[in-house]
Amino acid sequence: MDDPRLKVLLVEDDEDDYVLTREFLAEIRGDNFELEWVEEYDTGLEAIYQDRHDVYLVDYRLGKGNGLELLRAAIAHGCQAPIILLTGLGDHQVDSEAMRSGAADYLVKGQFDSQQLERSIRHSILRKRAERDLHQQLTRISLLNQITHAISERMDLENVLNVVLGQLELHLPIEYGTVYLFNLQAGTLGQAASRLKSQSPTAHMISFDELAVPIAETGLEACLKGELLYEPEVVKTEASLLKKLVQTQMGSAVVVPMMVEKNLFGVFIAARAKANGFSIGECEFLRTLCEHVALAAHQARLHTQLQSAYDELRQTQQAVMQHERLRALGQMASGIAHDINNALSPVSGFAELLLRNEQNLSEAAHRYLNHIKTASDDVAHIVTRMRDFYRKREEHQPLLPVNLNQLTQQVIELTRPRWRDISQQRGISVEVKNDFDPNLPEIIGTESELREGLTNLIFNAVDAMPRGGIITLRTRVGAWAYARGGSKTPSHVVLEVIDSGVGMDEETRKHCLEPFFSTKGQLGTGLGLAMVYGVVQRHDGAIEIDSAPGKGTTMRLIFPVREATETSFIEGPAAAVTVPSMRILFIDDEPLLRELLKEILECDGHQVHVADSGQSGLDAFRAAKKDGKPFDAVITDLGMPHLDGRQLAQILKKESPSTPIIMMTGWATLMKGEEDLPLHVDGILNKPPRITELQETLRRVAERRDGGAVP
Ligand SMILES: Nc1ncnc2c1ncn2[C@@H]1O[C@H](COP(=O)(O)OP(=O)(O)OP(=O)(O)O)[C@@H](O)[C@H]1O
Ligand SMILES: [Mg+2]
């Protein structure tokens, strides 16, 4: 205790006792005491409330009230300095009562001398200080507990830091707290949280640093080594990061490194308006606290990273599952399409035959047959769309540079009757806007497919806006590829169809790409988006859907930008030519189809022999050859039991390489590009066979045969 002069307040109504006390204190060596005297209870209490003294000497008998009451009132008011009660001889009751009520000591008047007074004062002060320190320690431990408990329950970094700052502001308390996180790779400090006591007059002056600063420029490099920095007077600071605190009238600051496994994780800064505002105990407390906070913050960050990794994984998993589901559905749809095709072929084929060849049909029969034809054409159209969903890109499909801006503009024009005219008739207004990137690179693709896909999207958008609205067609570069020298080229383009319509709920959004999923009842087949999905897949692209009920929908198609390597074209349908009469062997296990094809071919003047299986076809082929009347061409179904079309073609080609073989299958489009594409085939025909298609294929193979082009 080398404090210069201890301030003593004597509350005493007897002047003699005051004089005596003054003399006692004067006797003590060193003139270390400064005595102030008040006579009355009220003035005494008032002086104590002002908290200007190091110790109080209070007389028990004080006229109006007594010393014990004053003691209790002072302690209740939060008096921290020791109070020594001066009692009369024989007041033992009072003495013990005083000690119980929080007096630091008591002295019996007339029984103490100068030395005893000094000892009592000094011990009381020492004890009080020890008590206060202990109390502070306990408070800090409990604060530490409170904070660590609070942050252990929180799993995101921002939350953890804000809890710490909030608790410190309230309980330490500090006026300003901030946390910078250290980026190890970049060597920078970036501000992650900050809190200024709200009633502080400088509240508006501390701005949040958006930019990370290299630690070397902050003046806080010592933190890298885990060193705590105490700046008792921030006005004098050398550290540039702390200079900002001066403007905000902070007087002192503590900078505590937050270390995780000996590496700097972040820096915590606590500040107070007062200079020399932090005690050693507080600095130590902050250091201990930051050890815990660093760990919790580190955990929280790991947790967040883990969480986002999980989310990403889940999304990928969902995307894969969705893809698989669509693939399975696609296969199923193709299977169904195949069966429907087989069943449908005779219906449309015979109807067509009757219409072409029967001269004596009544008008009604003509009409009915036309109805049958139209109906089966409609079914065939649905089947084609269904197959479109799953089919792979055909080799002969044209892959040409496509300008999506031009194509989109075309589709806007083409669909105008639907979005404008029909809507106007219904008294609603649908507006179509474009927002094209003029520098959009071309993609490689098939225009007709893309056009149809986009048309479907626009129709859906119109359907989604029963009360009208706006459709925006937007193109832009979606991603860039960076070359070594830093130059960048577009790697993906994005085409968005954005509507302001009713939007989709989560369930619809999840299933809308599936074939036959529709919420439009009779008005929709549910094949539109399945078809779009197929188109996008065949362009190696992706679809993203942003939609929420009442919030409209954005359908986003993303296509890769690629160089056109090879381009090919579909051979356009040739003008109908009469095919010279041929001897044709037709093999199919379906009786109706056999009959239909026989009829069609015979009508065109061919001689037709039919066989109902691969084996009987092969027998017939060999027999004809043996008889010196070989067939000019063979048309065979692909899928047959025992000896299928592919195996048959292989045998036939071996035995008679020059005989053209035409394979007929509902899977024609699927087979292309497959590994097991029949090698020995000169032409492929779709089921149901359209008469013109059949004629055209026969013409081609006949020409090739005559020109000797067959391998
Ligand atoms: N832009 C959109 N806004 C809201 N819902 C949509 C949108 N586009 C598609 N949908 C939802 O997705 C479903 C499937 O769409 P899809 O185009 O495949 O079939 P459809 O429009 O019902 O019938 P189809 O296109 O075969 O006539 C729709 O029935 C509808 O519920
Ligand atoms: Mg649709």
Side-chain angles (χ1 to χ4, degrees), residues 286-347:
L286 287 173
R287 184 202 287 284
T288 315
L289 175 70
C290 282
E291 282 171 16
H292 293 274
V293 176
L295 279 179
H298 179 59
Q299 296 283 7
R301 184 189 268 175
L302 287 180
H303 183 264
T304 313
Q305 285 168 351
L306 197 67
Q307 191 65 45
S308 64
Y310 269 136
D311 289 348
E312 217 168 275
L313 196 67
R314 199 177 313 119
Q315 269 171 13
T316 316
Q317 201 182 23
Q318 271 170 1
V320 170
M321 270 161 53
Q322 161 92 334
H323 189 75
E324 276 307 302
R325 199 171 57 232
L326 289 174
R327 216 172 64 90
L329 277 168
Q331 271 171 338
M332 207 172 76
S334 287
I336 298 171
H338 177 246
D339 289 347
I340 295 179
N341 255 345
N342 280 348
L344 194 67
S345 308
V347 179

Side-chain angles (χ1 to χ4, degrees), residues 347-396:
V347 179
S348 65
F350 282 121
E352 207 174 331
L353 256 185
L354 282 174
L355 281 168
R356 261 174 35 136
N357 299 340
E358 289 300 311
Q359 311 299 333
N360 302 326
L361 286 177
S362 69
E363 200 187 311
H366 219 271
R367 208 169 57 243
Y368 297 157
L369 279 171
N370 265 323
H371 288 336
I372 294 176
K373 184 88 188 47
T374 315
S376 55
D377 280 352
D378 285 350
V379 178
H381 180 68
I382 292 180
V383 169
T384 315
R385 282 183 85 192
M386 210 156 103
R387 268 206 318 237
D388 268 350
F389 162 54
Y390 182 61
R391 115 181 121 75
K392 301 227 166 51
R393 191 168 61 73
E394 292 161 39
E395 275 178 355
H396 61 271

Side-chain angles (χ1 to χ4, degrees), residues 169-187:
E169 179 191 297
L170 217 59
H171 300 295
L172 194 53
I174 55 171
E175 267 125 28
Y176 175 64
T178 181
V179 178
Y180 285 81
L181 295 182
F182 183 56
N183 181 327
L184 190 64
Q185 272 92 38

Side-chain angles (χ1 to χ4, degrees), residues 429-614:
S429 132
V430 171
E431 199 184 328
V432 175
K433 285 188 181 165
N434 62 36
D435 175 8
F436 295 157
D437 176 352
N439 301 317
L440 194 77
E442 290 179 327
I443 63 162
I444 299 302
T446 308
E447 284 206 5
S448 56
E449 284 209 327
L450 292 166
R451 218 177 282 127
E452 199 180 338
L454 192 53
T455 305
N456 272 313
L457 294 181
I458 293 181
F459 285 177
N460 278 350
V462 175
D463 289 347
M465 302 194 298
R467 272 179 267 140
I470 299 172
I471 303 172
T472 309
L473 291 148
R474 183 163 171 237
T475 61
R476 62 188 165 88
V477 172
W480 301 84
Y482 291 86
R484 273 227 164 142
S487 65
K488 57 175 190 176
T489 47
S491 68
H492 287 83
V493 297
V494 172
L495 168 59
E496 284 171 328
V497 180
I498 306 159
D499 67 58
S500 57
V502 293
M504 297 183 228
D505 58 24
E506 187 53 24
E507 219 31 43
T508 307
R509 200 184 61 80
K510 256 196 213 155
H511 295 288
C512 66
L513 297 178
E514 292 169 8
F516 301 112
F517 178 88
S518 176
T519 55
K520 298 176 190 168
Q522 293 290 318
L523 298 174
T525 60
L527 285 169
L529 287 182
M531 182 264 168
V532 176
Y533 177 78
V535 170
V536 172
Q537 288 287 305
R538 286 192 287 282
H539 285 78
D540 296 322
I543 300 187
E544 283 177 4
I545 303 168
D546 294 344
S547 190
K551 297 265 161 63
T553 299
T554 297
M555 301 291 302
R556 189 173 304 116
L557 312 187
I558 304 162
F559 298 104
V561 177
R562 271 191 303 236
E563 294 280 313
T565 41
E566 46 181 85
T567 55
S568 52
F569 303 86
I570 294 178
E571 294 169 41
V577 246
T578 35
V579 184
S581 167
M582 295 198 268
R583 278 173 55 73
I584 298 172
L585 172 61
F586 177 63
I587 309 158
D588 198 305
D589 56 347
E590 283 173 56
L592 270 177
L593 205 67
R594 278 202 305 275
E595 199 185 327
L596 172 67
L597 259 281
K598 190 171 179 333
E599 287 284 337
I600 294 174
L601 292 169
E602 282 180 354
C603 278
D604 280 350
H606 302 292
Q607 289 176 43
V608 184
H609 181 92
V610 292
D612 60 2
S613 70

